[in-house]
Amino acid sequence: LALELADGSSLKIAASTTVQLRESKAADPARGEDRVVRLKLFVGRILAKVKKAMSRQSTFNIEGSNAVCGVRGTTVSGSTGPEGVEFCNYDGTIEVDSGKGPRDVPPGHACGNDGRIHILAEAAYDQWRGELGEEVFERRREVIRDAVRREIAADVIREQKDRRGQWDERADDLHVGRTLTDRHGYRVRVEESFGRPTADTVQVTILNLRDHR
């Protein structure tokens, strides 16, 4: 089922879906009225292609059982499942409030009633493949590439920190001063330290201080 709303936005409703159009009002600048659209999704799946808002006061909200999605102008889907409702953002920006404060959800990501943001699963694209343009799929590929790059960068940083931590532990050991007694009975203070003049060079310094010298 397909609907065109008063503000020019369109709505696709999947089979076995129960959704209620609670309010649909187009903006009327001459009368100082802003767009107001409110949908309530009870069960099933919907896809909304929302016209860009004319003002910051315009609202286009999709309500789920335990979360609300605010849309400024994008292609967004809402679906219900065992864990509640989930809103998927294909382009633009949406805001999801699951009772833990509103969160901006970037393109290619989804957010549900738990308030966590994650990359859209492939199934989120497949179920609306006939309605989504090729640019949406290209954006998904970009999102995945960015995520891979961030993960690689995070791995490199973690590895550097691990190496630095191991190095610091060795450095702490080498910088600890020790007081010993030699075979002649004299007390000897041993100070050990190291440096790294270059990336592939380690410099170790050992200083012995004896009471009788």
Side-chain angles (χ1 to χ4, degrees):
L1 179 64
L3 297 176
E4 185 171 342
L5 305 180
D7 71 323
S9 299
S10 62
L11 184 67
K12 296 285 185 178
I13 304 174
S16 303
T17 295
T18 301
V19 61
Q20 182 184 48
L21 180 59
R22 294 189 166 180
E23 190 173 4
S24 178
K25 184 178 67 174
D28 188 348
R31 302 176 59 180
E33 296 180 353
D34 296 302
R35 174 184 69 183
V36 179
V37 177
R38 290 175 57 234
L39 299 165
K40 173 68 175 182
L41 177 63
F42 294 94
V43 64
R45 298 183 292 111
I46 61 173
L47 178 73
K49 294 184 178 180
V50 182
K51 291 288 186 179
K52 187 174 181 180
M54 299 299 293
S55 71
R56 297 185 63 85
Q57 287 71 40
S58 296
T59 59
F60 191 114
N61 292 339
I62 305 173
E63 302 172 15
S65 58
N66 41 22
V68 178
C69 175
V71 188
R72 299 296 296 174
T74 182
T75 302
V76 59
S77 70
S79 61
T80 60
E83 298 181 356
V85 67
E86 180 176 72
F87 298 106
C88 303
N89 181 24
Y90 297 98
D91 52 41
T93 302
I94 64 174
E95 182 181 84
V96 176
D97 191 344
S98 58
K100 304 174 183 178
R103 301 200 64 185
D104 289 333
V105 182
H109 292 73
C111 183
N113 59 288
D114 58 1
R116 292 185 298 178
I117 298 174
H118 59 87
I119 294 177
L120 283 178
E122 188 173 355
Y125 291 86
D126 289 341
Q127 62 189 2
W128 297 110
R129 183 170 291 275
E131 306 295 334
L132 301 174
E134 179 58 32
E135 66 276 5
V136 171
F137 291 92
E138 178 57 32
R139 189 172 295 109
R140 177 177 186 267
R141 289 188 282 268
E142 291 176 1
V143 168
I144 293 175
R145 285 194 292 266
D146 289 343
V148 171
R149 284 193 288 266
R150 286 195 298 270
E151 185 61 31
I152 292 175
D155 287 342
V156 171
I157 292 174
R158 282 193 294 268
E159 184 178 353
Q160 290 176 343
K161 287 183 177 179
D162 290 343
R163 288 180 178 177
R164 187 160 50 246
Q166 294 171 2
W167 198 260
D168 289 343
E169 289 178 3
R170 295 173 187 149
D172 291 341
D173 290 340
L174 290 174
H175 277 92
V176 172
R178 300 176 179 86
T179 300
L180 307 174
T181 302
D182 67 10
R183 63 179 182 172
H184 301 293
Y186 295 110
R187 292 172 62 82
V188 181
R189 178 67 178 176
V190 180
E191 295 285 348
E192 299 174 330
S193 62
F194 79 98
R196 194 173 185 183
T198 62
D200 57 352
T201 305
V202 176
Q203 182 180 26
V204 179
T205 303
I206 301 176
L207 177 65
N208 296 332
L209 303 176
R210 297 175 180 270
D211 290 341
H212 64 294
R213 292 184 182 177

